Amino acid sequence: MKEKCITIMVMVAFLLGISLLSAPAQAQIKLTYANFPPAPTFPCVQMEEWKKEVEKRTGGKVAIQTFPGSTLLNPKNMFEGVISGTADIGCLAMSYQPGRFPISEAIDQPVGFSSAKAASLALYDLIEKYNPKEFEQVKIITLFTCPPANIMTIKPVKSLKDLKGLELRVGGTQANIIQNLGGIPVAMPQSDTPEALQKGTVKGHVSSMEVLKDFNYAAYTANATIANLWVVTFAVVMNKDKWNSLPADVKKVIDGMRKEWALWTGNYVDNHVLESLKWSKEKYNLQIFELPASEKAEVPKLIKPLIDGYIERVTKAGLPGNQIMKDVYALKEKYEKQYK
């Protein structure tokens, strides 16, 4: 009987040992990650995928708690919130603080990027080259952009003549672009746009086209005109003290994902735009137009004064404005050739 009890105890100990070996390691490092758009939007999708991938690649050593939809930090206090440590990691759109991120603003200029992939990698390389002071208080985790902004309207816009005098919802920093093309920019938050479209306060909106599905805008604007006007730049940054406290193996994992994640995000959201267009065509009979070739050639001339203004502004601030824009155009050509 005694021998039987000993045998049972040995077996229990053996099975317990096996279960402990197979159990997932408890996270030693816990990080918080704040984001400002709603959870289904692409900046939050990339956040959740990045979280999963970091946790996987660190073997469960790191656990990340995410806060989408401005539940921890909003777009205007995101950068300061990460610097102060309210969140360990945060995703910000640089255009929410005009003038604070002058190098990044070069990619925000209306240079005509045709994809988020190309624009995201151009942004990444530009920031890598200049290592700008604008990010010296944080650790950059990755960089990316939204897809190019296009014109979505209630009635078709087939030419610049159709655009003339048309009230269009835009983000505040892009108002001058629409104005130079002959439209009437109306700055307002995304949340107010559906009602403004229904009431006719605005006759359309200008942004990247995943919003046709994500915000159901195709229900109000069943016409889209491809113009590839601008992109919006984003950075994911970490509190510097938190970064410095991480062990070398965790830093290696996160650093190894920097450029990879810029491409992942660009690729994801470009594909999401295609899905949104397909969905909008099927559900709302979305019609897609392009400007005539002669007008496509005219657009860069109409918006050149804005790019010249950017160059003048950053040059006065002591930055090589002309060289920065030359780099932007060169990177645009490089990555658009690579990702046709």
Side-chain angles (χ1 to χ4, degrees):
M1 185 70 177
K2 187 177 179 181
E3 289 177 359
K4 188 175 180 182
C5 287
I6 292 170
T7 302
I8 291 170
M9 288 171 68
V10 169
M11 287 180 67
V12 168
F14 176 75
L15 291 171
L16 181 61
I18 291 292
S19 68
L20 288 171
L21 285 172
S22 61
Q26 188 171 2
Q28 300 169 22
I29 299 161
K30 295 181 180 179
L31 301 173
T32 55
Y33 186 157
N35 217 327
F36 64 91
T41 58
F42 85 91
C44 290
V45 171
Q46 73 76 30
M47 171 177 72
E48 298 298 340
E49 290 298 318
W50 184 86
K51 159 195 158 73
K52 283 192 276 187
E53 201 60 29
V54 168
E55 290 175 345
K56 176 183 169 186
R57 294 187 194 189
T58 60
K61 190 173 184 177
V62 175
I64 301 162
Q65 185 177 6
T66 56
F67 296 86
S70 297
T71 49
L72 182 56
L73 291 168
N74 66 40
K76 291 189 178 177
N77 68 13
M78 184 67 68
F79 197 55
E80 292 300 335
V82 172
I83 292 170
S84 68
T86 302
D88 298 320
I89 306 167
C91 177
L92 64 139
M94 280 74 96
S95 61
Y96 277 87
Q97 296 185 48
R100 186 166 188 176
F101 302 96
I103 303 289
S104 308
E105 279 180 28
I107 300 291
D108 288 322
Q109 299 307 305
V111 297
F113 280 104
S114 60
S115 74
K117 286 190 291 292
S120 296
L121 292 172
L123 171 64
Y124 182 91
D125 285 2
L126 193 74
I127 297 301
E128 284 288 289
K129 174 178 177 177
Y130 287 95
N131 188 25
K133 287 183 178 180
E134 58 205 67
F135 289 111
E136 67 183 357
Q137 292 177 280
V138 295
K139 164 68 180 177
I140 296 175
I141 300 302
T142 194
L143 299 140
F144 54 84
T145 77
C146 72
N150 289 295
I151 302 162
M152 289 154 278
T153 51
I154 296 169
K155 292 183 179 179
V157 169
K158 299 179 183 179
S159 69
L160 291 176
K161 184 181 176 183
D162 295 334
L163 191 63
K164 194 168 181 62
L166 204 63
E167 297 94 344
L168 298 171
R169 180 267 171 192
V170 296
T173 56
Q174 293 92 23
N176 288 343
I177 299 170
I178 295 305
Q179 198 165 6
N180 279 36
L181 295 179
I184 299 174
V186 181
M188 69 173 64
Q190 288 278 23
S191 56
D192 295 344
T193 305
E195 185 179 354
L197 287 166
Q198 290 177 73
K199 288 183 175 179
T201 310
V202 294
K203 307 301 189 296
H205 55 100
V206 189
S207 73
S208 50
M209 294 194 294
E210 78 279 0
V211 299
L212 287 166
K213 182 179 182 182
D214 287 357
F215 295 106
N216 200 37
Y217 281 178
Y220 316 109
T221 54
N223 299 281
T225 305
I226 306 301
N228 292 338
L229 295 174
W230 66 76
V231 296
V232 175
T233 52
F234 293 79
V236 179
V237 297
M238 183 182 284
N239 176 275
K240 215 159 195 180
D241 289 339
K242 178 60 72 172
W243 171 257
N244 290 334
S245 74
L246 297 177
D249 59 333
V250 172
K251 286 181 177 177
K252 186 177 180 182
V253 167
I254 293 173
D255 257 344
M257 292 172 63
R258 277 164 58 100
K259 192 164 189 177
E260 174 192 344
W261 218 252
L263 178 57
W264 187 94
T265 307
N267 189 58
Y268 167 79
V269 74
D270 282 338
N271 287 335
H272 186 43
V273 167
L274 295 177
E275 291 167 11
S276 296
L277 292 175
K278 182 175 182 290
W279 177 86
S280 300
K281 286 176 185 176
E282 291 171 354
K283 188 161 186 177
Y284 295 107
N285 193 30
L286 176 76
Q287 301 297 302
I288 299 177
F289 305 96
E290 292 204 27
L291 296 173
S294 60
E295 292 192 355
K296 282 184 186 177
E298 190 68 19
V299 167
K301 298 174 189 174
L302 293 171
I303 57 183
K304 186 177 183 295
L306 302 177
I307 297 173
D308 291 344
Y310 164 80
I311 292 171
E312 184 180 352
R313 189 168 67 252
V314 298
T315 301
K316 281 182 181 176
L319 294 168
N322 277 305
Q323 186 56 52
I324 291 169
M325 286 312 301
K326 282 180 185 175
D327 290 338
V328 169
Y329 284 113
L331 289 166
K332 175 178 178 286
E333 183 179 1
K334 172 186 173 180
Y335 285 117
E336 294 208 330
K337 194 177 288 182
Q338 189 172 339
Y339 297 103
K340 286 181 180 179

